[in-house]
């Protein structure tokens, strides 16, 4: 079973920031938080991951709370092409572990 | 770099027939995964290979599904005989030695069993 909880769907206006929450209250000390997204008819795409510090790349920012029990993925300026299902996953960043997907959050970016 | 290649892109078969899917991972990726994604759900891991050995196949319905990864590169997933509930997208992914980051997925094969 997935170790994360996400809202099933969210709306966001085009050009605004999209903030996608994820709860992972049972996260272990060696587990990272990963975010993937899946655009219709494509395989999931890796976005970003982090352990305890906030992370930023060209796609998004990841904010992890100090107790690591929750995190937020931020798309700073959402576009229509960001409409997708976003998955939050926790697992160690080494071999021998599964990447288990939950149902994710379906983000609708509206014009 | 080239992505994960999968074929065919679409397949329609009748129940009780057999079907096979093919995956070519990213060069140098030792770990290969097959996922099943039913409409409206997240991907479900079926089997994980490390080189040509099986690491985890606990979710693979072994009475009808089989998978192999000869020579530690390409992989095939077979269903025989197919059931209606096997209708799904079958996704292949690869990564460097099982790392969580850098998972790369193919576009999948959409199977419809009628």
């Amino acid at each position: 079973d997935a170790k994360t909880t996400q809202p099933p769907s969210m709306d966001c206006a085009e050009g605004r920031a999209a903030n996608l929450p994820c709860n992972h209250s049972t996260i272990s000390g060696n587990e990272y938080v990963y975010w993937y997204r899946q655009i219709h008819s494509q395989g999931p795409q890796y976005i970003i991951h982090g352990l305890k510090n906030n992370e930023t790349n060209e796609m998004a920012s990841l904010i992890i709370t100090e107790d690591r029990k929750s995190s937020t993925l931020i798309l700073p300026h959402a576009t229509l092409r960001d409409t997708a299902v976003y998955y939050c996953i926790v697992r160690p960043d080494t071999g021998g572990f599964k990447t288990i997907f939950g149902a994710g959050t379906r983000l609708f970016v509206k014009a | 770099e080239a992505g994960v290649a999968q074929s065919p892109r679409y397949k329609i078969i009748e129940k009780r027939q057999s079907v096979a899917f093919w995956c070519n991972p990213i060069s140098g990726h030792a770990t290969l995964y097959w996922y099943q994604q039913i409409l409206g759900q997240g991907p479900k891991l079926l089997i994980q290979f490390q080189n040509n050995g099986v690491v985890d196949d606990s979710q693979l319905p072994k009475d009808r599904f089989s998978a192999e990864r000869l020579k530690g590169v390409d992989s095939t997933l077979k269903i025989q005989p197919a059931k209606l509930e096997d209708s799904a997208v079958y996704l292949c992914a690869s990564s460097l030695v099982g790392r969580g980051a850098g998972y790369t997925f193919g576009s999948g094969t959409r199977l419809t069993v009628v």
Side-chain angles (χ1 to χ4, degrees):
Chain A
D1 291 337
K3 297 177 62 175
T4 61
T5 304
Q6 300 178 251
S9 66
M10 295 182 63
D11 290 344
C12 178
E14 187 178 22
R16 306 281 258 195
N19 298 289
L20 292 92
C22 180
N23 180 282
H24 32 79
S25 58
T26 61
I27 192 170
S28 300
N30 66 339
E31 290 182 320
Y32 286 68
V33 180
Y34 294 84
W35 283 84
Y36 284 78
R37 75 177 183 184
Q38 188 172 25
I39 295 170
H40 183 62
S41 296
Q42 297 181 21
Q45 174 193 24
Y46 165 80
I47 301 173
I48 197 168
H49 77 290
L51 183 62
K52 54 183 178 181
N53 297 319
N54 297 337
E55 302 288 344
T56 296
N57 63 21
E58 65 278 4
M59 293 182 68
S61 295
L62 173 60
I63 308 298
I64 303 173
T65 58
E66 192 169 341
D67 63 6
R68 302 212 319 126
K69 293 184 177 182
S70 64
S71 61
T72 301
L73 179 74
I74 301 172
L75 308 178
H77 305 287
T79 70
L80 298 179
R81 287 177 291 183
D82 292 322
T83 292
V85 178
Y86 288 78
Y87 298 100
C88 171
I89 296 158
V90 297
R91 57 155 283 176
D93 189 31
T94 55
F97 296 94
K98 308 177 197 181
T99 294
I100 299 174
F101 290 81
T105 295
R106 187 170 296 274
L107 176 68
F108 296 94
V109 180
K110 300 181 177 181
Chain B
E1 66 179 0
V4 175
Q6 288 189 248
S7 67
R9 189 79 173 90
Y10 303 93
K11 190 73 176 179
I12 301 174
I13 62 172
E14 296 183 349
K15 59 184 179 183
R16 292 187 290 273
Q17 285 187 322
S18 62
V19 64
F21 313 125
W22 173 82
C23 173
N24 179 244
I26 289 177
S27 177
H29 279 192
T31 309
L32 184 147
Y33 316 80
W34 283 101
Y35 284 82
Q36 179 194 58
Q37 186 171 27
I38 293 172
L39 186 64
Q41 299 180 16
K44 170 189 166 186
L45 180 66
L46 293 176
I47 189 167
Q48 177 176 344
F49 290 95
Q50 182 77 17
N51 297 309
N52 60 347
V54 175
V55 173
D56 187 326
D57 63 357
S58 58
Q59 298 297 306
L60 188 73
K62 298 181 187 64
D63 58 334
R64 298 183 301 105
F65 286 65
S66 64
E68 61 181 7
R69 190 183 185 197
L70 299 176
K71 301 180 182 179
V73 182
D74 293 5
S75 177
T76 56
L77 177 69
K78 297 179 182 178
I79 307 175
Q80 181 178 14
K83 294 184 175 182
L84 296 177
E85 59 260 37
D86 298 332
S87 293
V89 176
Y90 291 85
L91 294 161
C92 178
S94 67
S95 71
L96 285 170
V97 198
R99 289 193 64 197
Y103 254 56
T104 303
F105 282 82
S107 295
T109 296
R110 182 175 296 278
L111 174 67
T112 302
V113 183
V114 298

